[in-house]
Amino acid sequence: MTPAAASNDTPGRTPDTGLRADAERNRDRILAAARHLFATEGLGVSMASVAREAGVGKATLSRRFATREELVNAVFADRMDAYASAVTDALADPDPWHGFAGYIHAVCAMQAADRGFADVLTMTFPAAKALEARRAEAFHGMLDLVARAKGTGYLREDFTSQDVVILLMANAGVVNATGDAAPDTWRRLVAHMLRSYATPDAPIPPLPDAPAPTALYRAMVRITRPGPA
C-alpha cells in the first residue's frame, strides 16, 4: 500500500472533507446550535451563546467559523435557496398577479417560520458571498415578477421593488414582536399590504381574522419583558 493510499484510510478522518471525524461533529453541532438560536432568538445572539449551546469552546467555534458572516452563510444557505426558488415558482405561474401574491405570502411565511431568516432578509452580509449571490439572483427575478404583475393591470403602477423591502422589514418586526403570543398576526399584515398594492379590479384573497386582543396584549408584554409571555 502506498503512503497516499494509506492516508485515505487514516482512522478518525472523513474521506470527503479531510476533517477529523470529531472536528466534523463539532461543525455539525455548531450549525445545529446556531440554527436553533437564530430561529428562536434572531441574529442578535452572541457567538459565545452559540458556542455554549453547541457545547464547544469559543476557540473551536472560531476555527470552524472565523466570523459571524461565515456562520450565517452556512446556517441560511438552504433557506436562501428556498427564497430564490420562491421567485422561480412565482415566475412559472401562468397568472402573473397570482404568482406575485403567492410570492409575497411565501416569503413572509419563511420569515414567520424562522426569526433569524426574518432578519437575514432585511440585512446584508458582504462577506457571505454565496448568500449575497443568491439574494441578488432572487432580487432580479423579483423585478421581472413585478413587471409581469403590472402587465396584468392588477398591480399598481406606482409599486416599486423598495415596497417589497419595506414589507419584509415590517413583517420581520411583527414576527419578532409577536412571537408565540400571536403567531399568525403576520398573515393579516400581509393581506392588508397586498390590498394596498392591488388596483380596484384585482382579485384579492380574503382578509384573515385579526388576532385576539388578549394575544396582542401578551405580545406587548413580550416586547417590554423579553421571554415567555
Side-chain angles (χ1 to χ4, degrees):
M1 182 181 294
T2 65
S7 66
N8 289 332
D9 296 325
T10 302
R13 297 182 71 87
T14 53
D16 55 335
T17 65
L19 291 173
R20 291 178 305 159
D22 60 340
E24 187 70 10
R25 284 193 294 270
N26 283 339
R27 184 178 189 277
D28 291 344
R29 289 164 64 185
I30 291 167
L31 287 176
R35 286 192 184 101
H36 171 70
L37 290 176
F38 288 159
T40 57
E41 301 181 27
L43 295 187
V45 296
S46 67
M47 294 290 273
S49 295
V50 173
R52 283 195 300 272
E53 179 78 9
V56 303
K58 288 187 286 185
T60 298
L61 174 59
S62 297
R63 281 196 297 272
R64 299 276 71 83
F65 302 99
T67 65
R68 176 180 293 272
E69 285 78 8
E70 288 182 16
L71 182 58
V72 167
N73 188 70
V75 168
F76 292 107
D78 58 341
R79 288 163 177 77
M80 193 58 80
D81 286 344
Y83 173 57
S85 294
V87 180
T88 301
D89 293 344
L91 288 170
D93 193 315
D95 181 342
W97 166 252
H98 183 267
F100 170 80
Y103 162 77
I104 293 294
H105 192 275
V107 173
C108 289
M110 290 178 195
Q111 288 186 300
D114 189 324
R115 285 184 61 189
F117 193 59
D119 292 338
V120 165
L121 286 184
T122 60
M123 301 169 67
T124 58
F125 302 89
K129 302 299 184 183
L131 197 74
E132 292 304 317
R134 291 297 270 163
R135 188 200 304 276
E137 177 186 337
F139 177 76
H140 290 299
M142 184 265 291
L143 292 179
D144 191 11
L145 182 63
V146 167
R148 294 186 188 189
K150 285 184 178 180
T152 66
Y154 293 148
L155 180 61
R156 291 169 51 135
E157 282 297 324
D158 57 0
F159 181 87
T160 72
S161 61
Q162 293 96 310
D163 291 316
V164 176
V165 178
I166 293 169
L167 171 60
L168 294 179
M169 288 179 172
N171 193 53
V174 168
V175 168
N176 288 330
T178 56
D180 294 336
D184 290 329
T185 304
W186 69 272
R187 297 180 185 276
R188 190 168 175 90
L189 169 69
V190 171
H192 274 305
M193 295 308 294
L194 281 173
R195 281 165 167 69
S196 73
Y197 303 152
T199 60
D201 295 331
I204 52 178
L207 186 67
D209 292 339
T214 53
L216 281 183
Y217 176 78
R218 288 196 301 271
M220 289 187 288
V221 170
R222 185 178 180 277
I223 294 171
T224 56
R225 290 184 288 184

